[in-house]
Amino acid sequence: MTNNKGPVLVIGATGQQGRATTEQLLKRGWEVHAFVRNLNAPAAMALQTQGANLIEGDLDDAGSIRAAMEGAYGVFMMLTMMTGIHITAEGIAAEQRWGKRVADIAKELGVAHLVYSSLRGAGGNTGVEYYAAKEAIEAHISQLELPATVLRPTFFMDNLNAFNRPVLDEKGELVVNLPVRSDIPISLISTHDIGAFAALAFDRPGQFLGRTIPLAGDYLTPPQIAEIIGRHAGLPARSNQVPLEQVRAFDKYVAQMFTHFDENPDGPLDIPALRTEHPGLMDLDAWLRSVAWKPLLP
């Protein structure tokens, strides 16, 4: 375990994973520098209230990244390809550009530990376009021989409080809408636990440097997800497979990913081994309780 407690520069600090990582690092006594576009944004000010130091910058401005990273022990990097609520070609290209730029500057400045949150599926030559950007960033980190840990999280449990939040139908039944066949299990992870693994990586560099770690806390089919949510809410529940055509009409890149997943389901991860490293790793039931989950009313 390292005695060095930072600073760690958190890139993507106001996103779900960045907030979780900042919280976990601060709890462990790390100095956190949060890289934000707007110092006065409510999400940025909330990080400051928790104890993070805010550093204003722009991922398209190499100078601001360099200034923010100067003197940092470590960097946590989470990037998004989203433009608003959609994935776009421009967003995918920007993510790849940003990731490579951050890695180059980390190499230049001799950062001791980069933790990059990618996604499961990267490195699998899936043909999914937004996976390719993350694959390229991972490859660039490797080519630079950066001291790094790559996390590959799976489907966010937190999506069940957002994009995939179950709704009550006219019969009072909870409906879990997912574009996945009912017989295909899905690996799930909470963003809280992604942050915990990121913080553990910085705490234990000897154990985590050089590793690529897929992350999951549960492995469930859509009907099993519905059953657990229904039991938690005390309501009847069922899963519903959203047609891929409907997903494609909303976002072709997301449909591309689910088409691949439908044809090439992910196998289970070694969740007990992950829980040995992080005993607090939550399954779906524990996550529902942790966020006091409630259904979305019609």
Side-chain angles (χ1 to χ4, degrees), residues 122-143:
N125 296 315
T126 61
V128 178
E129 290 181 59
Y130 74 87
Y131 283 20
K134 297 184 185 293
E135 290 169 357
I137 294 167
E138 288 189 22
H140 194 66
I141 290 168
S142 178
Q143 289 162 7

Side-chain angles (χ1 to χ4, degrees), residues 138-294:
E138 288 189 22
H140 194 66
I141 290 168
S142 178
Q143 289 162 7
L144 291 172
E145 298 183 342
L146 277 172
T149 303
V150 175
L151 305 178
R152 287 180 175 171
T154 49
F155 184 85
F156 293 173
M157 295 177 186
D158 308 69
N159 288 342
L160 296 168
N161 246 346
F163 300 110
N164 303 105
R165 189 168 182 174
V167 295
L168 282 168
D169 66 10
E170 65 280 357
K171 298 177 182 178
E173 191 172 33
L174 273 175
V175 182
V176 180
N177 291 301
L178 292 168
V180 178
R181 292 201 325 255
S182 63
D183 61 313
I184 296 179
I186 306 167
S187 294
L188 305 102
I189 186 74
S190 74
T191 54
H192 171 89
D193 288 324
I194 299 170
F197 269 100
L200 284 171
F202 288 117
D203 268 351
R204 306 173 190 170
Q207 182 179 340
F208 283 87
L209 274 170
R211 291 175 63 190
T212 296
I213 310 169
L215 298 178
D218 219 332
Y219 186 63
L220 301 164
T221 64
Q224 289 171 327
I225 292 171
E227 190 276 327
I228 291 169
I229 291 174
R231 178 160 30 90
H232 171 83
L235 292 167
R238 61 181 173 86
S239 64
N240 173 59
Q241 184 180 354
V242 179
L244 283 172
E245 293 74 18
Q246 185 176 329
V247 178
R248 191 170 292 108
F250 173 75
D251 191 313
K252 70 174 185 178
Y253 296 103
V254 173
Q256 193 179 67
M257 182 270 289
F258 278 113
T259 298
H260 169 76
F261 185 78
D262 218 29
E263 297 169 353
N264 303 275
D266 290 335
L269 299 179
D270 190 345
I271 294 174
L274 291 168
R275 193 163 281 123
T276 297
E277 294 188 297
H278 168 39
L281 180 64
M282 290 185 283
D283 61 14
L284 179 59
D285 184 66
W287 175 79
L288 291 166
R289 287 185 276 108
S290 76
V291 299
W293 189 90
K294 293 182 180 179

Side-chain angles (χ1 to χ4, degrees), residues 69-87:
M69 203 181 295
E70 190 76 49
Y73 164 79
V75 174
F76 171 81
M77 177 172 68
M78 189 280 158
L79 303 169
T80 181
M81 77 298 290
M82 304 291 288
T83 302
I85 61 172
H86 296 281
I87 299 172

